Amino acid sequence: MTIYFATNRNPNDSTKPTDFENYFSKNSLGDLRFGQVNVDVEGNLDFENLVMLPNNESEGSKQLFAQLQNSMKENQDDSLVFIHGFNTSFKEAMKSALKMKNQYRRLSNGSYNPNVFVFSWVSYGQLSMYDEDRVNAKVSANAVARALLKLANFLKNTSPDNACEQRIDLIAHSMGCYVLRHALQELRKQSVVQRMFHDVVLVAADEDSDTFEFDYKLGLLSSVAKRITVYFNSGDSALKVSDIFQGNPDRLGRDGANKPHQLPSKVVLVEVSDVVSGVVEHSYFNDNDCVSKDIVKVLKGQSSESIKERDYLPHKNKFKLLA
């Protein structure tokens, strides 16, 4: 088992890294390094043997994408791009991705076992540095956009003989949704906003509740995905802090959409407040079975209306996930 990655962080060792630091690459803010971390026999990520690919396209991103493509074709597995949230180090991001992969595989009885590709942007990994992480999330947009564009170009240039029928989806958690917003703006500047994903899932989004109303926020997201599913939880205390103490507007991941009846038809709202419990209630995408099962159904292509564990509320244009 392998977790793939791209990052704009600086490696802790330029020749044989075992980790990436909570700082930007020394080469440039947009510098990208690709690689992978394998899982050992005990089920843990083997960071001591982390593979960082050479810093050139032919031996870096193209090699990684070709490996992903071969896995998708030979094993008939989908691929899932993951953008982590605030207060997350490189190792924590990779561990979260592995936990998510194992959770989704377990809850699907092995029928959903995606290749997971993590983009680890420069979060400082400290609760006290929310404002600094928010700045870094915006600054990381160019690197994320470059990674997404490399993926899109690779897929676009794939010969029919190597093409497969598997899906590429994306899940963004918390401040990762803010990273995604600014990456879209970078793609917009280059006029390369195009379909890249089948499903995009936004979980506990630390993003404004009116984000789909404006192209300079996430209004363009419908152009890169066939469907967008937004999970939100009114009891999310992490986003309450963002809302009240940081002076942010209402959060998409806590309050839902500002104008639910004016959303693009591709956007589906799912409130999970009744099934999520705990102190923080923020990381339910990979530690709550009810939510994880619902996400798996989405990522496996089940239609929003046919998921039986949901109740649709027409007057609010949202689904409520049932316990």
Side-chain angles (χ1 to χ4, degrees), residues 3-279:
I3 303 296
Y4 303 92
F5 69 83
T7 186
N8 58 337
R9 298 173 185 259
N10 195 63
N12 67 340
D13 185 310
S14 60
T15 56
K16 187 174 173 50
T18 58
D19 196 2
F20 285 83
E21 299 170 336
N22 298 336
Y23 302 97
F24 288 94
S25 167
K26 293 180 180 179
N27 294 332
S28 70
L29 293 177
D31 186 48
L32 276 174
R33 297 307 300 265
F34 291 82
Q36 64 189 62
V37 181
N38 295 323
V39 178
D40 62 25
V41 293
E42 296 179 350
N44 300 313
L45 288 164
D46 183 10
F47 288 107
E48 292 303 312
N49 292 299
L50 178 153
V51 176
M52 182 175 70
L53 296 174
N55 196 16
N56 63 75
E57 189 173 47
S58 61
E59 296 178 288
S61 61
K62 285 187 176 180
Q63 179 175 314
L64 184 142
F65 293 147
Q67 187 173 340
L68 272 175
Q69 184 184 61
N70 289 336
S71 177
M72 294 173 72
K73 188 175 181 180
E74 293 176 7
N75 302 320
Q76 296 186 324
D77 290 329
D78 295 338
S79 287
L80 180 61
V81 178
F82 173 53
I83 306 177
H84 63 77
F86 149 73
N87 184 31
T88 305
S89 68
F90 173 80
K91 285 188 175 181
E92 288 168 343
M94 300 295 284
K95 289 176 182 178
S96 182
L98 177 61
K99 181 179 179 181
M100 177 176 65
K101 179 181 175 73
N102 287 336
Q103 172 92 332
Y104 294 0
R105 181 179 56 180
R106 174 179 65 83
L107 293 174
S108 66
N109 295 316
S111 64
Y112 183 66
N113 186 32
N115 304 288
V116 178
F117 174 82
V118 180
F119 188 95
S120 186
W121 54 279
V122 185
S123 163
Y124 284 117
Q126 297 181 39
L127 279 171
S128 62
M129 301 188 74
Y130 177 90
D131 290 337
E132 291 83 353
D133 267 14
R134 195 164 171 84
V135 171
N136 285 358
K138 186 174 181 179
V139 174
S140 294
N142 179 260
V144 179
R146 287 185 61 223
L148 294 179
L149 188 56
K150 286 176 181 291
L151 174 61
N153 287 338
F154 183 87
L155 296 174
K156 183 179 179 181
N157 295 324
T158 297
S159 68
D161 292 338
N162 288 328
C164 66
E165 300 300 321
Q166 305 309 124
R167 297 156 45 112
I168 298 180
D169 302 311
L170 181 145
I171 183 166
H173 175 239
S174 188
M175 199 178 285
C177 301
Y178 188 67
V179 175
L180 181 60
R181 178 218 285 202
H182 290 286
L184 284 174
Q185 300 314 311
E186 289 296 323
L187 293 174
R188 182 188 188 188
K189 291 177 184 177
Q190 301 177 49
S191 301
V192 288
V193 177
Q194 57 188 279
R195 173 72 63 80
M196 300 180 189
F197 306 104
H198 192 284
D199 273 282
V200 168
V201 174
L202 308 181
V203 187
D206 191 0
E207 178 57 273
D208 302 340
S209 61
D210 64 358
T211 190
F212 293 111
E213 299 172 31
F214 304 100
D215 283 352
Y216 67 85
K217 293 185 179 181
L218 281 177
L220 295 171
L221 192 57
S222 295
S223 301
V224 303
K226 188 173 182 180
R227 175 174 57 175
I228 302 159
T229 304
V230 177
Y231 291 89
F232 67 102
N233 168 30
S234 63
D236 191 325
S237 59
L239 292 181
K240 183 178 180 179
V241 171
S242 175
D243 190 351
I244 297 175
F245 296 102
Q246 302 297 334
N248 289 323
D250 290 344
R251 313 317 288 150
L252 180 67
R254 179 178 169 88
D255 306 288
N258 186 45
K259 297 178 180 178
H261 290 284
Q262 297 180 26
L263 290 172
S265 59
K266 292 182 179 181
V267 179
V268 179
L269 300 176
V270 182
E271 184 179 356
V272 301
S273 306
D274 292 347
V275 303
V276 176
S277 60
V279 177

Side-chain angles (χ1 to χ4, degrees), residues 232 259-265 267-271 274 294 303-322:
F232 67 102
K259 297 178 180 178
H261 290 284
Q262 297 180 26
L263 290 172
S265 59
V267 179
V268 179
L269 300 176
V270 182
E271 184 179 356
D274 292 347
D294 198 88
S303 67
S304 302
E305 297 78 12
S306 67
I307 298 178
K308 296 179 180 179
E309 294 77 14
R310 296 177 177 181
D311 184 25
Y312 181 64
L313 305 179
H315 66 293
K316 293 187 177 180
N317 189 29
K318 70 178 182 182
F319 291 95
K320 288 203 75 172
L321 193 59
L322 306 175

